[in-house]
Amino acid sequence: MKGINRVQTGIKGLDKMLSGGLISERPYILSGPPGSGKTTLGMQFLLEGIKQGERVLFVALEEPVNEVKYNMTSLDLNLKGLDILDANSDIRRYEPTPVMEISSKSKVQKMWDLPDTIRKTSRFKSTVVSVHSLQNTLKQEFKRAGYKRIVIDSLTALKYFCMVGEEDIYLQSFLRFLSESKVTSLLTVETPENYGLTPEIFLARGEIRLNKTWEKGQIKRWISVEKIRGSEHEEKVYPIEIRKGEGVVVLDKNI
Amino acid sequence: MERLSTGIKGLDKMLHGGLIPGRPYAVSGPPGSGKTTLGIHFLIEGVKDEENVILVALDEPPNEIKLNAWALGFDVAPIRILDAVPEVKGFQRGGYIKDVGTVLDLHTMRDVKDIKRSKILRAMEVSIHSVQKMLRQEADDLYDEEGEVYSRVVIDSITALKMFGMKGEDQRILIQSFMRFLAEMEATSLIITQIPEPDDLPSEVFLSRGEIRLHKINDKVESKRGIGIEKMKGSEFDEHIRPLNLSSRGIEVDTKKLF
């Protein structure tokens, strides 16, 4: 096909499974149970962008940003050049008339410069992040920095904690916003053991799935490409390992 | 970074040295698998190092926890306890479990008069937000009076909070906020919970920075226990389920054998 741009994921085996990489400027789902390697794979995707001279952004919704930095440093991944947006809400207040502010000016920070300790909620007001405030911040940041790649970690947290009520409508408009912003995005989705078709997968242009199973009392890790619109892809499931200095590695002699 | 010992040698080995401090973790398992005992090991280890530790008792009355811990040979006296069973009221500052037991007895005596009504009231009073408020108050007091902080917290368990707290999306947000609160306390916390249903993913499980899962199989003759690590962010870990022995010495984990 003409005019299709492929974006390398930073994981050789996965690029091969994707017939060369992800089609650029589209949103993709990266799903898997807790501890399957989603954040790590997302980081590799961003680091690959940096290698190619792109501006990239990690949006943290699930863990304090100092912890994200620590975790990735412990995997010996080089975080230089990585931008991070702290989209974690503060501790909620429970006073009868709580002072709550919707955050619209969370700042993008350099991952490398993050402090080692957690940001503390102010005693006087709490800032909460909503899907609207996040979208506004991202809009400004896209304009300012021209990000080419972005990871939302996780879409599940965004859905659970930042979209009250009409989740499916908000999801659709958020994914549409990402498409229109012309960034290639990976959105992580936390999955339970039994996992069926959910609206976000239906709406995204593709799904990469990480899996973690216990076999004879030992963890096995797998990767598969569940669907990619407009592209052929590998149908098989491949074993993976998470290695220091490398991150997620697809294990296959042919890859 | 330094690792924090769980108080169980075999488990520390599985964790490649222990837990990364300052984070909330989930401990899941079926009834009788050893979750509370694991929590007590974790707190006692802190007491040994003269740390400030606190147990938030929500499922089992503190006097029962004390008796069970005694049977296992633990001296639980220095553990502070936030007694949220059956009412979020009986917090004993700087006290011992024994004292709380007495207070509880008094409560029970008073409650005898009109047991049904007080039961309903109790249920309404247990909420994530009241527990959070009391924990914050207690942490503030400890800091103001002694300039010290809590380094270990055990929530035993979150199930009661979820049952009596709000439902649906609100509950998710409450749990998210509570876990942010625990992280901002910079204490290492264990949140005891049930094993999630196969088609469910509760917030406390996916937001936790690690999950230690206890297993229990009831054989024809005896029950078999095991321990495995489902996830542990920022650390390598033993990716096998190991046999767990629960005896009068507490929990022992054999890292050389398979479950």
Side-chain angles (χ1 to χ4, degrees):
Chain A
M1 247 191 278
K2 262 186 191 171
I4 278 191
N5 232 339
R6 297 275 177 175
V7 168
Q8 267 96 60
T9 61
I11 298 122
K12 268 191 199 147
L14 179 59
D15 285 340
K16 203 165 168 192
M17 290 169 75
L18 292 164
S19 317
L22 296 165
I23 299 172
S24 70
E25 302 181 354
R26 296 182 178 183
Y28 298 91
I29 296 292
L30 175 56
S31 65
S36 57
K38 297 183 293 296
T39 306
T40 307
L41 196 151
M43 271 314 161
Q44 289 169 272
F45 167 74
L46 294 181
L47 294 175
E48 178 63 26
I50 293 175
K51 242 191 228 167
Q52 303 192 8
E54 301 167 357
R55 294 291 301 271
V56 303
L57 178 66
F58 183 89
V59 181
L61 284 143
E62 220 178 88
E63 291 166 283
V65 290
N66 60 304
E67 292 188 20
V68 176
K69 179 188 175 188
Y70 176 94
N71 296 345
M72 292 307 127
T73 311
S74 80
L75 270 173
D76 289 341
L77 296 181
N78 182 1
L79 306 175
K80 286 231 169 84
L82 212 69
D83 287 353
I84 186 164
L85 178 71
D86 184 354
N88 288 290
S89 287
D90 283 347
I91 303 170
R92 310 266 161 153
R93 306 184 73 83
Y94 297 112
E95 283 80 19
T97 48
V99 186
M100 281 217 289
E101 211 167 80
I102 303 288
S103 158
S104 55
K105 43 183 190 293
S106 347
K107 285 261 162 60
V108 165
Q109 294 162 284
K110 289 277 166 219
M111 182 95 93
W112 197 245
D113 296 334
L114 286 177
D116 293 331
T117 50
I118 190 166
R119 167 179 62 80
K120 297 273 176 75
T121 299
S122 145
R123 282 286 163 119
F124 307 105
K125 68 162 204 243
S126 279
T127 304
V128 295
V129 175
S130 75
V131 65
H132 301 292
S133 69
L134 179 64
Q135 207 164 305
N136 281 336
T137 308
L138 288 177
K139 205 182 262 174
Q140 290 165 22
E141 290 301 329
F142 287 159
K143 215 186 248 173
R144 183 186 63 84
Y147 291 112
K148 285 284 176 214
R149 297 178 188 225
I150 163 173
V151 169
I152 306 284
D153 191 29
S154 63
L155 184 60
T156 311
L158 184 68
K159 195 172 144 180
Y160 273 28
F161 313 129
C162 312
M163 300 179 184
V164 184
E166 313 278 338
E167 289 172 0
D168 296 349
I169 293 168
Y170 285 141
L171 263 176
Q172 187 167 15
S173 94
F174 187 71
L175 287 172
R176 182 162 183 103
F177 158 73
L178 289 176
S179 302
E180 286 176 3
S181 305
K182 299 198 174 303
V183 290
T184 312
S185 47
L186 277 188
L187 303 103
T188 63
V189 169
E190 300 277 351
T191 62
E193 250 170 73
N194 291 345
Y195 174 52
L197 190 67
T198 59
E200 54 268 34
I201 288 161
F202 189 71
L203 292 167
R205 305 309 190 279
E207 182 192 2
I208 297 163
R209 191 178 295 185
L210 294 174
N211 216 340
K212 186 197 79 179
T213 52
W214 287 93
E215 272 171 41
K216 290 180 188 158
Q218 190 182 349
I219 292 180
K220 297 274 182 222
R221 296 172 197 280
W222 314 89
I223 191 166
S224 61
V225 176
E226 293 296 314
K227 86 165 189 193
I228 296 289
R229 289 223 180 121
S231 173
E232 283 179 40
H233 61 83
E234 181 60 69
E235 304 280 349
K236 269 187 272 175
V237 170
Y238 287 94
I240 55 167
E241 256 178 35
I242 301 175
R243 290 190 195 146
K244 259 199 174 172
E246 291 176 273
V248 173
V249 179
V250 181
L251 306 175
D252 186 77
K253 281 172 207 139
N254 304 319
I255 285 177
Chain B
M1 198 192 271
E2 225 177 280
R3 295 297 180 98
L4 197 73
S5 171
T6 60
I8 300 164
K9 261 191 207 154
L11 179 56
D12 286 345
K13 208 170 159 193
M14 289 177 77
L15 293 165
H16 288 214
L19 296 166
I20 297 171
R23 299 180 173 192
Y25 299 94
V27 176
S28 61
S33 56
K35 300 187 293 291
T36 300
T37 310
L38 192 151
I40 300 283
H41 272 285
F42 171 74
L43 294 177
I44 291 286
E45 184 62 27
V47 169
K48 274 192 212 156
D49 292 340
E50 296 186 345
E51 297 170 21
N52 293 294
V53 306
I54 187 162
L55 171 70
V56 181
L58 287 149
D59 274 8
E60 218 182 333
N63 55 329
E64 286 178 29
I65 296 178
K66 185 186 75 176
L67 279 177
N68 296 343
W70 266 357
L72 294 168
F74 290 122
D75 174 19
V76 289
I79 296 176
R80 293 201 207 198
I81 200 155
L82 176 58
D83 175 14
V85 185
E87 287 169 285
V88 192
K89 275 181 184 167
F91 185 67
Q92 277 306 102
R93 294 244 330 103
Y96 299 104
I97 285 182
K98 203 176 170 185
D99 297 332
V100 179
T102 322
V103 172
L104 257 187
D105 284 341
L106 285 173
H107 276 267
T108 315
M109 292 279 274
R110 198 190 59 196
D111 288 346
V112 165
K113 284 184 211 155
D114 195 353
I115 198 153
K116 273 197 176 153
R117 186 191 286 170
S118 66
K119 249 187 186 167
I120 295 161
L121 282 174
R122 279 177 206 152
M124 309 254 301
E125 279 179 15
V126 184
S127 73
I128 290 180
H129 129 227
S130 57
V131 168
Q132 181 176 312
K133 219 167 169 179
M134 294 189 75
L135 261 178
R136 163 161 276 170
Q137 187 59 50
E138 172 52 22
D140 285 351
D141 288 353
L142 183 71
Y143 190 78
D144 290 345
E145 287 160 23
E146 295 168 50
E148 291 187 19
V149 295
Y150 281 105
S151 60
R152 296 174 190 241
V153 180
V154 172
I155 312 291
D156 185 17
S157 69
I158 199 149
T159 313
L161 283 184
K162 287 172 74 174
M163 263 162 28
F164 299 126
M166 289 181 220
K167 302 276 178 220
E169 285 139 19
D170 287 335
Q171 186 182 77
R172 291 170 178 172
I173 289 173
L174 287 177
I175 290 174
Q176 179 211 24
S177 172
F178 185 57
M179 291 183 69
R180 175 86 200 178
F181 165 77
L182 289 172
E184 287 192 23
M185 267 182 91
E186 296 181 83
T188 311
S189 43
L190 298 186
I191 299 169
I192 296 179
T193 183
Q194 290 168 332
I195 291 182
E197 296 295 325
D199 54 358
D200 187 25
L201 191 64
S203 309
E204 73 273 15
V205 170
F206 88 79
L207 288 178
S208 69
R209 318 306 198 259
E211 184 192 350
I212 298 167
R213 188 170 290 187
L214 301 177
H215 301 267
K216 190 182 171 210
I217 300 170
N218 289 319
D219 220 322
K220 275 178 198 143
V221 258
E222 51 169 7
S223 35
K224 217 176 123 192
R225 291 187 175 87
I227 186 167
I229 296 163
E230 292 288 324
K231 68 164 173 180
M232 203 47 67
K233 297 206 168 193
S235 174
E236 292 176 271
F237 58 89
D238 182 355
E239 300 197 339
H240 297 86
I241 300 179
R242 302 295 181 185
L244 180 153
N245 185 35
L246 193 57
S247 73
S248 58
R249 293 184 300 274
I251 291 177
E252 285 163 315
V253 176
D254 190 341
T255 53
K256 290 196 182 74
K257 291 203 181 101
L258 288 172
F259 175 55

